[in-house]
Amino acid sequence: MTQTQQEQLPKNLTLHVGNEASLLERPDHSTQQTELVLAPVELHRRNIQRRLRESQTPKTSFQFSDPTTVGKQLLDVAGLPTTTVDRIDRLSMIRSILSDEDVSIASPVVPSEPQSVEQIRTEIEAVTGFHPERLDIVQDVVGGLQAPIDADGAELLDAAVSIEQALRQVTSTSTSVSDVAFVRRAAREVLATDGAIWEDAFPDVERVSLVGVSSVPAAYIDLLHAVLASVAVPVHVHFRRGTGSYLTQRASELFDVASPGMVVFES
């Protein structure tokens, strides 16, 4: 990664393509968990732990977790609810929403099966986090496609936003539509408290590493962005080799949004 690219990133953020060996070289015999290792995929987390065992490297200084669990921990500290709708209940809700004549989601390009509608919702959630700036960018991209793909894409995007909004309306105010919502809300709370809830939840953490990612959902970016903006802790992101070069080139764009964790809906 060039110095110019690094200068375009938030302060204290370093990107790597692979290079997880450097992560394995850092553990010491400290009894405090000074490094928070975020591995979204459990298998990857286990692989790192296995490599530490095989090399007889102490791992007491590592705290292993994932962004969703960290989001929940932060919300617990803030005294906010952390209940969520599981996928089966969410599909049942979507089925009811699709049959509701007052909800305008039906379209020739929008699937009628709840599973397919949920897939569209989760894909748009991953790319945009339902952040208004990212949604505007996707809308601009879709609008620049050739007909009829542009119109179909716009309808799918609108359907994803509409189904998310409808799900929010049928759930209680203390229940989140999905686990990803924990991460978004946690990002907002880190900013709102100027990092206080982070320091309460992770008082000994001196470094954060996100590992084993071939793509990074927008909500994860927003959480890291909020931490970098509020807490003097370095963050390292280890991309996988296959997509790492591309993602490092786009990283500054991923972080270039105001109010990380914001959504287009009333929170």
Side-chain angles (χ1 to χ4, degrees):
M1 189 168 154
T2 67
Q3 183 64 28
T4 301
Q5 289 175 312
Q6 180 66 53
E7 291 173 349
Q8 294 173 344
L9 297 174
K11 182 182 178 181
N12 289 335
L13 173 65
T14 303
L15 305 181
H16 307 267
V17 178
N19 193 31
E20 291 181 359
S22 63
L23 178 69
L24 301 175
E25 294 168 356
R26 286 199 296 272
D28 53 35
H29 294 277
S30 172
T31 58
Q32 294 180 324
Q33 295 178 319
T34 57
E35 178 149 1
L36 178 61
V37 181
L38 303 179
V41 180
E42 184 177 359
L43 178 60
H44 195 81
R45 185 161 62 248
R46 289 179 177 176
N47 285 340
I48 293 176
Q49 293 171 329
R50 174 182 54 78
R51 291 171 66 184
L52 287 170
R53 288 194 302 270
E54 290 175 349
S55 63
Q56 297 184 338
T57 303
K59 59 178 181 179
T60 53
S61 61
F62 278 167
Q63 178 177 350
F64 291 91
S65 189
D66 61 81
T68 298
T69 301
V70 166
K72 185 174 180 179
Q73 288 178 261
L74 291 168
L75 294 184
D76 283 338
V77 169
L80 295 173
T82 55
T83 55
T84 185
V85 179
D86 64 31
R87 188 174 187 275
I88 293 178
D89 288 341
R90 195 159 58 245
L91 291 176
S92 178
M93 291 178 179
I94 291 174
R95 183 176 290 105
S96 297
I97 291 169
L98 292 174
S99 63
D100 187 346
E101 295 181 355
D102 293 331
V103 180
S104 180
I105 296 177
S107 162
V109 300
V110 177
S112 59
E113 292 295 322
Q115 293 89 341
S116 299
V117 173
E118 169 64 358
Q119 182 177 358
I120 293 170
R121 187 199 69 81
T122 55
E123 288 179 355
I124 296 301
E125 181 178 52
V127 172
T128 69
F130 295 112
H131 191 289
E133 291 183 28
R134 293 196 185 100
L135 283 171
D136 286 345
I137 291 171
V138 174
Q139 287 173 338
D140 289 343
V141 171
V142 168
L145 300 175
Q146 293 184 344
I149 300 175
D150 57 343
D152 291 351
E155 289 186 6
L156 291 173
L157 181 61
D158 289 344
V161 175
S162 296
I163 202 71
E164 172 74 11
Q165 187 170 27
L167 285 169
R168 285 167 172 260
Q169 291 172 348
V170 298
T171 57
S172 67
T173 56
S174 62
T175 304
S176 297
V177 170
S178 68
D179 288 349
V180 180
F182 293 158
V183 185
R184 288 196 298 264
R185 174 172 279 191
R188 297 196 298 270
E189 289 300 316
V190 169
L191 288 173
T193 62
D194 196 24
I197 63 168
W198 176 273
E199 293 172 346
D200 286 344
F202 306 104
D204 297 323
V205 168
E206 300 173 357
R207 182 185 184 117
V208 178
S209 292
L210 177 66
V211 301
V213 287
S214 55
S215 63
V216 187
Y220 296 1
I221 291 290
D222 283 351
L223 178 59
L224 296 179
H225 195 172
V227 171
L228 288 162
S230 307
V231 186
V233 58
V235 174
H236 289 249
V237 178
H238 293 260
F239 294 119
R240 291 185 179 178
R241 297 189 183 280
T243 55
S245 296
Y246 171 73
L247 289 172
T248 55
Q249 293 173 2
R250 290 203 56 232
S252 61
E253 299 173 19
L254 297 175
F255 283 91
D256 188 22
V257 296
S259 302
M262 177 191 293
V263 291
V264 293
F265 317 100
E266 182 178 352
S267 301

